[in-house]
Amino acid sequence: MADSTALWPLIIAVIGGYLLGSVPFGVVLTRMAGLGDVRRIGSGNIGATNVLRTGNKPLALATLILDSGKGAAATLIAGALLGPGAAIAAAGASVLGHLFPVWLGFKGGKGVATGLGVLLALNWQIGLIACAIWLLVALVTRFSSLAALSAFAAAPVACLLLASPGLATPGPAMAGVALFVAVLVFIRHRGNIRRLLDGTEPRIGRTSDKPGR
C-alpha cells in the first residue's frame, strides 16, 4: 500500500499548480485596460497572441510574461517547499489549469507560454531548447502554431538525450511531464493542425475573426 504521507505533497502540488495556472491573465489585463473581454475578439483565446489582436502590444507582452511566469512560479514554489517530484506534478497541473481554468468554465488558452514557463523552471537548458525551436520555426515559417507544436514535440526527446543539472534532471520523469504538456498543447491546437494541413492557417501578423484561430 502506498504511503499516504508521501502522496500529500504531490496532491498539494497538483491543487496549487492547477489553481495558479488557472489565473486568466489575458482576461484580467484586457478588462483592467478597458478593452473588454478578450474572449469576444479574434480567436476568442485568452493568451498573448489574441491579446495582441487588441492592438495593445505592451498588454500582450505582459500577458505572455505572466502566463509563462505563473507556470514557472507554480513549479519553483512546489520544488522549493515539497521537492522535485512535487515540482514536476505542479508543472503539469499548472498547464492543465491554464487550458481548463475553473474560473472560466474550464475554457482557457492553448498552453504555449505556460508550458514554456514550466520547462524553463524545471530545467533551463530544456526550456531554452524549446524556446529556440519555437523562435526558429516561427521566423522561418511565420506560423505560430507550427512553432509551438515543433517546440513541444522536441522537448520530451531533449529530456531523454540531454543530461544537465536543474530543479528536475532531464530523464524519464521530466520527459514524462514534457510529453504530458506536449499532448495537451497538441490537443488544444487540433484546429490549427487541420488548417496547417489544408493550407488555411493564418501566418504571424495576419489575423482571423473566426473562433479557434
Side-chain angles (χ1 to χ4, degrees), residues 132-165:
I133 291 173
W134 187 97
L135 183 60
L136 177 62
V137 175
L139 288 173
V140 172
T141 69
R142 306 298 295 171
F143 287 123
S144 177
S145 56
L146 182 60
L149 295 169
S150 300
F152 285 99
V157 179
C159 290
L160 294 175
L161 296 179
L162 178 68
S164 60

Side-chain angles (χ1 to χ4, degrees), residues 119-120 123-131 155 158-159 162 164 170 174 178:
L119 290 177
L120 285 165
N123 188 281
W124 65 267
Q125 293 95 330
I126 299 296
L128 283 183
I129 288 172
C131 290
C159 290
L162 178 68
S164 60
M174 186 172 172

Side-chain angles (χ1 to χ4, degrees), residues 56-74:
N56 192 318
K57 292 181 180 179
L59 205 64
L61 178 61
T63 302
L64 176 66
I65 292 172
L66 289 171
D67 278 349
S68 59
K70 69 184 180 183

